[in-house]
Amino acid sequence: MRLISVAMRKQCHFHKMGIDMTSAFDTIKRSTILRLLEDAGCSSDDLRLCRLLLSRTSVVVRVNSETSTAFLSTKGAFQGDSLSGCFFHLITSWWPESA
């Protein structure tokens, strides 16, 4: 807040922007993740393991006490997944190049 008050006192233009990273990462195609891994020089064994990790992932949604039937998820990687941090880093380092 101090920065904003200084900008107002000195009559400077001040712009604040926030980016919600959670939604952006959930919507990226898994084929894009795999292509980026290949472009980064991952071995065929590593690509195969990542492909297996990302394929055929089913999801169940629970709202209060009601649970949906399982359905396939084809985008993003789950938070807490063993490689989700690596995927996130890979994708965020790619974003400036894609703009």
Side-chain angles (χ1 to χ4, degrees):
M1 295 302 273
R2 177 154 165 72
L3 179 60
I4 294 171
S5 65
V6 170
M8 290 175 66
R9 189 172 55 247
K10 293 187 176 189
Q11 297 182 344
C12 297
H13 293 283
F14 182 81
H15 303 277
K16 180 180 176 187
M17 180 178 77
I19 300 173
D20 181 3
M21 302 289 270
T22 56
S23 297
F25 185 59
D26 289 344
T27 59
I28 193 160
K29 294 179 183 177
R30 291 182 177 165
S31 59
T32 301
I33 296 172
L34 293 168
R35 181 179 54 79
L36 291 172
L37 288 168
E38 187 173 9
D39 291 349
C42 286
S43 70
S44 59
D45 285 342
D46 290 339
L47 285 171
R48 181 179 55 81
L49 290 173
C50 291
R51 192 172 286 112
L52 287 171
L53 179 69
L54 294 172
S55 69
R56 310 272 315 150
T57 306
S58 62
V59 178
V60 175
V61 177
R62 184 181 340 171
V63 177
N64 296 324
S65 61
E66 295 195 33
T67 305
S68 72
T69 57
F71 58 93
L72 290 178
S73 172
T74 60
K75 295 183 180 177
F78 293 108
Q79 292 180 357
D81 191 273
S82 58
L83 289 175
S84 64
C86 177
F87 294 155
F88 181 80
H89 177 71
L90 180 73
I91 292 164
T92 55
S93 64
W94 166 73
W95 276 334
E97 297 172 18
S98 64

